[in-house]
Amino acid sequence: MIRYIYADDLARYPALRNSMLRDRATQFHDRLKWEVTVDAEGFEQDQYDALNPLYVIWEEGGLHGGSMRFLPTTGDTMVNDHFAHLAGGAITAPGIWETTRFCVSPGSANKARAANVLMMAGGQLGVGFGLSHSIGVFDARMVRIYRQLGWEPEILGADGTGRDAISAGLWAFDEAVLTRMCLAAGVSRELSQLWFDRAFGLALPKVA
Amino acid sequence: MTRLPLRRVSFQTLTCRQRGYVSLNKLVDMQEALSNAKSLEELQTFVEGLRGVYGIDNLVYHSVNASGGQYAALTYSDTWVERYIEKGYERIDPVVQGCYKRFTPIDWKALDWSGKPSRDFLGEAASQGLGNQGFSVPIRGPSGQFALFSVNQKDNDDRWAQFTEERASDLILIAHYMNERALEIEGGPSQGPVRALSPREKDALTLLALGNNRAGVAEALQISENTLRVYIESARFKMGATNTVHAVATALTHGLIVV
């Protein structure tokens, strides 16, 4: 299932949290060789994890199957702090949120499905809160992956060449994209909405 | 234990393109009123005016900056505000507890009112004239600034659901514009917009000021119209502007662009 969890609520899900931060270390430190910090427990975290971001997490058997991280561009974001030159300068609007750390667990039972469901959940978040766009920074390899997933960002600017290229891009939110992502993920629009409502709108009645 | 009846809150009609004309008009009027506010006292007047325009019982805007400095503009009674501060109710207020350091708007029904302290607090608030319904917009500002904008109303569930359906989008935008305005005012009388226009935003506004249409600007900058829309949206927010013409005018007034 998809969970939408703020950082300050993550402690309530220790297995999910720990597996997410370890999977991020594997993906961003070990595989992609990014200059990220991995602590003694094997967790990859940066300064933006300390800003109480909203995580979108695909949970598989109580563990992390994949995730990404959202922050509003009205506050501090990675793209505006470090990659504004790729985006033509800092972009700041209530309807635009930054997405970072798109990660699929190496232990996921179905990595392609995990990626599809995450894209769907990103679309659900945008449509659900009436956002216009999401902005992100990603390496060259991801451009092809986003295309395969059926929802390409529009590139604002890029630095470097070949495998080392890094780009800033925009995803535009609308209902049609969300419907398409639901189909690709094999999740009904209703179920996607239910996961969203459970996190933000509709608190399910407790069983007495 | 009784739980508040719960209802699905829809945020799905929030984008500008989908907003109805009447609502948009009201929103534009409010944004203009905001851009005219030059002091924190005038923001208080604005909040009181907003109450009438949207037919809401109460509005609260509360800002906390990174160094702990606080500012509020609100319509609650002095008695209730004093009582709230004296008792340190922010420690049990489910609205504060559920919104602090977050950035997703929320209907108060989705908050956790289940504990006894919360229910006692709700009872006391009601006895002080607060309504049973509410909607809050937590806001992230620059450098760790945080603000919370809430509306509060005595109403039944059906009418409240209709109200939030129609007005949530306006309230979210007004909350953000009000926060931006409060930051500007805090920055000093001659500060103008607190956030700098980016190079590409300046390019876009300059080309618009020269009389180009959007297609022409997009072509000149070699970007898509969709991307241009993002730069304009961002520039408008930074300028506290109701529309693109207003954004261009504000940028010219403050010497941020030159034509």
Side-chain angles (χ1 to χ4, degrees):
Chain A
M1 66 177 286
I2 284 287
R3 287 186 182 275
Y4 302 87
I5 310 176
Y6 276 101
D8 62 4
D9 267 346
L10 261 187
R12 291 164 54 198
Y13 310 90
L16 196 58
R17 171 186 181 273
N18 297 353
S19 54
M20 176 175 82
L21 297 177
R22 289 205 176 100
D23 285 345
R24 275 175 37 175
T26 305
Q27 172 153 337
F28 299 110
H29 182 270
D30 303 347
R31 290 185 50 223
L32 295 175
K33 316 282 185 204
W34 286 9
E35 289 175 23
V36 293
T37 307
V38 176
D39 67 17
E41 290 178 285
F43 297 158
E44 186 273 304
Q45 290 181 89
D46 69 6
Q47 66 199 92
Y48 300 99
D49 291 302
L51 297 181
N52 204 31
L54 180 63
Y55 300 101
V56 175
I57 304 176
W58 171 238
E59 184 182 321
E60 292 182 15
L63 294 176
H64 176 250
S67 60
M68 56 189 156
R69 183 176 71 176
F70 284 87
L71 279 168
T73 59
T74 55
D76 298 333
T77 57
M78 189 168 84
V79 64
N80 284 344
D81 291 348
H82 301 287
F83 298 99
H85 61 288
L86 296 180
I91 286 175
T92 303
I96 303 174
W97 289 1
E98 174 188 72
T99 176
T100 49
R101 293 293 197 269
F102 183 91
C103 170
V104 170
S105 171
S108 170
N110 186 337
K111 296 190 190 72
R113 169 108 200 284
N116 277 315
V117 178
L118 280 175
M119 295 301 279
M120 177 206 75
Q124 175 67 62
L125 193 65
V127 169
F129 284 113
L131 305 179
S132 69
H133 294 83
S134 176
I135 185 168
V137 173
F138 38 87
D139 61 81
R141 188 189 56 103
M142 288 304 292
V143 177
R144 186 176 52 85
I145 291 174
Y146 289 132
R147 189 180 308 138
Q148 284 168 353
L149 291 168
W151 192 9
E152 267 183 273
E154 184 163 339
I155 309 289
L156 295 174
D159 235 4
T161 50
R163 286 181 64 86
D164 294 326
I166 184 164
S167 308
L170 285 170
W171 287 265
F173 292 116
D174 65 46
E175 185 62 45
V177 164
L178 174 54
T179 305
R180 211 169 72 226
M181 291 300 104
C182 284
L183 270 173
V187 174
S188 73
R189 179 69 182 81
E190 290 73 21
L191 181 57
S192 175
Q193 187 69 45
L194 179 73
W195 287 335
F196 177 85
D197 287 344
R198 183 155 53 186
F200 302 112
L202 184 78
L204 294 175
K206 272 182 191 160
V207 180
Chain B
M1 183 193 95
T2 54
R3 280 183 71 88
L4 289 162
L6 298 163
R7 180 178 297 278
R8 177 163 138 189
V9 183
S10 169
F11 296 103
Q12 286 181 24
T13 50
L14 305 191
T15 55
C16 294
R17 1 175 230 282
Q18 293 164 324
R19 203 180 293 117
Y21 172 74
V22 175
S23 170
L24 185 64
N25 203 27
K26 240 180 213 185
L27 179 66
V28 167
D29 289 347
M30 287 304 95
Q31 286 180 310
E32 267 172 24
L34 250 186
S35 60
N36 290 327
K38 300 282 185 268
S39 66
L40 296 178
E41 292 73 35
E42 285 177 283
L43 283 185
Q44 172 66 31
T45 311
F46 170 78
V47 159
E48 288 164 13
L50 200 56
R51 181 162 62 159
V53 170
Y54 284 94
I56 305 162
D57 294 344
N58 284 295
L59 277 128
V60 191
Y61 165 82
H62 186 189
S63 161
V64 185
N65 66 29
S67 48
Q70 297 195 31
Y71 162 73
L74 72 176
T75 64
Y76 291 151
S77 73
D78 291 346
T79 318
W80 173 238
V81 173
E82 280 161 27
R83 173 83 179 158
Y84 190 103
I85 293 167
E86 177 203 328
K87 300 293 277 186
Y89 276 152
E90 73 280 358
R91 286 175 287 120
I92 53 167
D93 183 347
V95 177
V96 173
Q97 293 304 315
C99 291
Y100 188 59
K101 302 267 173 165
R102 301 194 166 193
F103 48 87
T104 44
I106 191 165
D107 189 287
W108 289 7
K109 284 194 188 71
L111 296 164
D112 181 9
W113 297 89
S114 60
K116 187 173 186 309
S118 301
R119 279 177 288 134
D120 290 347
F121 166 77
L122 186 65
E124 193 183 340
S127 75
Q128 292 285 335
L130 268 74
N132 55 327
Q133 309 283 0
F135 177 76
S136 289
V137 185
I139 301 162
R140 283 288 166 88
S143 313
Q145 187 257 351
F146 174 80
L148 185 56
F149 178 97
S150 299
V151 295
N152 168 261
Q153 178 99 317
K154 194 174 287 179
D155 217 336
N156 67 38
D157 288 340
D158 286 344
R159 277 210 307 268
W160 180 249
Q162 194 186 340
F163 174 82
T164 50
E165 182 79 33
E166 287 171 5
R167 298 301 185 201
S169 56
D170 278 20
L171 294 171
I172 291 167
L173 273 180
I174 288 171
H176 279 96
Y177 275 80
M178 179 166 180
N179 189 56
E180 210 61 16
R181 193 74 204 138
L183 290 170
E184 277 178 38
I185 291 169
E186 264 189 306
S190 59
Q191 292 289 316
V194 283
R195 303 181 201 256
L197 285 175
S198 76
R200 218 171 284 180
E201 286 162 4
K202 283 185 190 176
D203 291 347
L205 292 189
T206 304
L207 288 165
L208 287 166
L210 290 168
N212 294 281
N213 63 22
R214 287 186 178 224
V217 175
E219 199 189 334
L221 296 176
Q222 295 187 302
I223 57 179
S224 73
E225 285 195 54
N226 178 46
T227 299
L228 177 65
R229 192 158 71 85
V230 166
Y231 289 121
I232 292 175
E233 186 179 331
S234 177
R236 272 177 50 184
F237 178 66
K238 290 176 181 176
M239 295 297 100
T242 53
N243 57 45
T244 309
V245 173
H246 185 193
V248 170
T250 306
L252 283 168
T253 305
H254 290 281
L256 302 172
I257 59 169
V258 180
V259 293

